[in-house]
Amino acid sequence: PFWATLLSGFVTGILAMLFDLKSLVDMMSIGTLMAYMIVSACVIILHYKVVPQDNLFQDVTTHRTSIEESEEEEHEVDSTPLIKNEVKTGAFVRLFNLSSIKVPNEFTSTCSLYLIFFYMVAASGEAYILAHYLDQLETLNYKVIIPLGIFLSFMILTIYCLFLQPRNNEKLTFKVPFVPLLPAVSMFVNIYLMMKLSVATWVRFVVWLSIGLVIYGSYGWRNSSEEYRGRGEVPPNEVRQKDEHDNEANTDRK
């Protein structure tokens, strides 16, 4: 924390000397709002993702015995034709979950990702109109009302389709209530506030974001703890923590 605080304070002081204070505040605002928007989107993604069976709540009254499971394995058939049939059912059936799927699978999880993306596009259009053409909306200008109604209808449709998709029952200490409605409202509010910022702020944000993505892609991604775990290796920071803990334990014993 010492070095991180020292470095961040030094960089902040340099930026305060070089840039206008309002520009820095706008940059801080757009970064914070973007982070909140991404978190809200991730909340929806986590509710619709496929999770291992070990992480799900099990209903004791409906839990099957090992004998029943073995009988099902004996009568198990090749699932490839079933998957092909599911693909052939079309996007309309999967979009409105007309098959009444109760547990998330790869198809429903992918469908949820597309719905979130299209909702963000529609919410961006809706927020842009409200942020920059509110005066024309008050005069009931049809050139503003029509696209506003189209974007709003598309937002409602995507949220309704998300509501129909199956959600996982993963074991968590806390879950956000009223999903997907509450995170969707949070996403829209953050996008609307970002649309109120100036074009210059967006340009600066895109430049800094591009620099951050280059650093992450060239160094951070390959050296992240998750990447080490994915390769079956122990992250270096965990090795150091273990060594420090062992050294402290040996010191206490002495």
Side-chain angles (χ1 to χ4, degrees):
F2 173 77
W3 290 108
T5 305
L6 189 65
L7 180 61
S8 61
F10 177 77
V11 174
T12 303
I14 295 297
L15 293 176
M17 289 190 298
L18 297 178
F19 297 99
D20 179 55
L21 183 60
K22 184 180 182 303
S23 301
L24 292 177
V25 172
D26 290 343
M27 278 291 295
M28 181 187 66
S29 299
I30 194 172
T32 304
L33 293 171
M34 178 64 72
Y36 288 161
M37 190 268 293
I38 293 174
V39 169
S40 300
C42 291
V43 167
I44 303 178
I45 294 173
L46 291 176
H47 274 73
Y48 293 94
K49 72 172 184 176
V50 181
V51 296
Q53 292 295 324
D54 296 339
N55 295 340
L56 301 179
F57 284 110
Q58 295 291 339
D59 188 353
V60 178
T61 58
T62 59
H63 184 62
R64 295 174 299 183
T65 63
S66 59
I67 299 177
E68 292 174 337
E69 292 179 353
S70 61
E71 290 178 353
E72 287 187 5
E73 291 178 357
E74 293 177 357
H75 297 86
E76 187 178 8
V77 296
D78 187 9
S79 59
T80 303
L82 299 177
I83 295 176
K84 292 182 178 179
N85 291 333
E86 188 174 359
V87 175
K88 292 179 180 179
T89 53
F92 184 81
V93 176
R94 295 197 299 273
L95 194 62
F96 293 94
N97 195 19
L98 298 180
S99 302
S100 299
I101 301 174
K102 302 298 183 183
V103 180
N105 54 38
E106 294 297 332
F107 294 104
T108 60
S109 179
T110 304
C111 182
S112 301
L113 292 177
Y114 280 112
L115 287 171
I116 295 171
F117 172 76
F118 288 126
Y119 173 82
M120 293 174 62
V121 173
S124 299
E126 184 84 3
Y128 182 82
I129 294 175
L130 291 176
H132 298 280
Y133 298 97
L134 187 60
D135 53 342
Q136 298 186 30
L137 181 62
E138 294 175 352
T139 59
L140 302 179
N141 188 341
Y142 72 93
K143 294 182 179 180
V144 176
I145 294 178
I146 292 177
L148 195 69
I150 293 174
F151 285 128
L152 180 61
S153 301
F154 201 72
M155 289 169 59
I156 295 174
L157 178 62
T158 52
I159 293 300
Y160 178 71
C161 292
L162 273 172
F163 181 78
L164 296 177
Q165 299 301 316
R167 280 172 276 185
N168 59 60
N169 196 21
E170 189 176 7
K171 295 179 181 179
L172 296 173
T173 55
F174 173 78
K175 277 190 175 184
V176 177
F178 307 114
V179 175
L181 181 60
L182 186 59
V185 173
S186 176
M187 291 170 59
F188 175 75
V189 172
N190 288 297
I191 292 174
Y192 171 76
L193 293 176
M194 285 190 292
M195 292 297 176
K196 297 284 287 184
L197 299 173
S198 63
V199 177
T201 302
W202 276 95
V203 172
R204 297 189 194 100
F205 175 73
V206 170
V207 171
W208 280 105
L209 182 63
S210 301
I211 295 173
L213 290 176
V214 170
I215 296 174
Y216 176 75
S218 59
Y219 176 79
W221 173 38
R222 294 178 177 82
N223 295 275
S224 64
S225 298
E226 293 298 327
E227 183 67 17
Y228 276 101
R229 294 190 185 98
R231 297 196 298 260
E233 303 175 6
V234 180
N237 61 326
E238 296 183 3
V239 175
R240 287 194 299 267
Q241 291 175 0
K242 184 177 182 301
D243 293 339
E244 292 175 359
H245 182 270
D246 293 340
N247 293 333
E248 291 177 359
N250 294 331
T251 303
D252 294 338
R253 290 173 184 174
K254 292 180 181 180

